[in-house]
Amino acid sequence: MKSRAAWLGAGVAALTLGTTACQDQDRSRQDRAENTPGQQVEQAQAQSEKAFDDARDAQKEASSQQREAARAQEDVQRKQQELQEAQAKAQKEAQEAQSSQQQAQARTQQAQSVAQQAQASALQAQRRAQQNFASQQQQASNDSAAANQRIAQQSAQQQQATDQNAATQQAAIARNTQAAPAQNTQAVQQQEQQVSGDVLSASAQEVLVSQAGEPQLRLKVGPSTQVQVDGRAASAADIQEGAQVRASYRTDASSGEPQALRIDATSRAQPAAPAAPESGESSPGVPR
């Protein structure tokens, strides 16, 4: 558009010069009609020089406008090239952005897949841990039941052995009592003995005492039996298993069973103190 404007401007300038030249010619003809031939020649020369000067100026103006049009054309071409370069750069950046977006989407999908796999692995590990814990609990329960069964069996066997030992001892005492002379029966009835040891079991009717390295002794408890637990009056049922006792007893001549006269029990939580002997008590095997 700048080039067309330049050419149009040049045409207008040339038309203006032509019009001016025609007017000058008309004036020159009029002046020739009025002036003398010499003056007319001078005027013609002056007009011719002026026309040449105007033509030179018009040529300069046209050349200047042509140069401006050429520069404008160069500017247009440079702008077009810059536009093409900018479009190519924008297209390249758009392609790079699209590629980056695709890579980011691929990485996001990969991260989501890894997270899902990790979550599945964690859930599977949790289920395995729960199964192992349940299996361990079941095994522990089975082991506990088996241990309790073994303990019950051992307790039953121990109780059976205790009963057998007590029955054997009582039968021996009964046989010895029956075989002894009549004069010794009165002495056995009146003889008082003492025993010290740990309580295996206790009830209101009897106390089972165990001595280290000695057979177990089952003491029968009657209404006349004096019982103290930790220095306080109590009943035989108040004696706890595992307590330490010091007891005095006599063997009944008719049944052959030891009858407890006095029982002093000390809990394991307190230090065992020897029971004070009653008046008239004697050491084992020594009559009053």
Side-chain angles (χ1 to χ4, degrees), residues 134-150:
S135 177
Q136 291 175 358
Q137 281 188 333
Q138 184 65 31
Q139 184 64 31
S141 178
N142 295 336
D143 294 342
S144 178
N148 292 333
Q149 186 177 3
R150 288 194 298 270

Side-chain angles (χ1 to χ4, degrees), residues 42-59:
E42 291 178 357
Q43 289 178 355
Q45 290 178 350
Q47 291 176 357
S48 177
E49 291 177 357
K50 186 176 182 305
F52 282 132
D53 291 338
D54 292 339
R56 247 189 338 268
D57 292 340
Q59 184 68 29

Side-chain angles (χ1 to χ4, degrees), residues 95-112:
Q95 291 176 354
E96 291 178 353
Q98 185 177 4
S99 177
S100 299
Q101 185 177 4
Q102 291 176 353
Q103 293 177 359
Q105 289 178 352
R107 286 195 294 269
T108 301
Q109 292 177 355
Q110 184 178 3
Q112 289 178 350

Side-chain angles (χ1 to χ4, degrees), residues 13 24 35 56 59 72 81 91 98 100 112-113 120 174 179 202 204 213 215 246 259 270 286:
D24 291 340
N35 296 330
R56 247 189 338 268
Q59 184 68 29
Q81 185 177 0
Q91 185 177 4
Q98 185 177 4
S100 299
Q112 289 178 350
S113 177
R246 180 182 178 87
Q259 299 291 331
Q270 299 181 1
V286 180

Side-chain angles (χ1 to χ4, degrees), residues 72 117 135 198 241:
Q117 292 178 358
S135 177
D198 297 332
E241 181 180 349

Side-chain angles (χ1 to χ4, degrees), residues 57-69:
D57 292 340
Q59 184 68 29
K60 289 180 181 179
E61 181 68 21
S63 299
S64 176
Q65 290 179 355
Q66 287 179 353
R67 287 193 297 271
E68 289 180 358

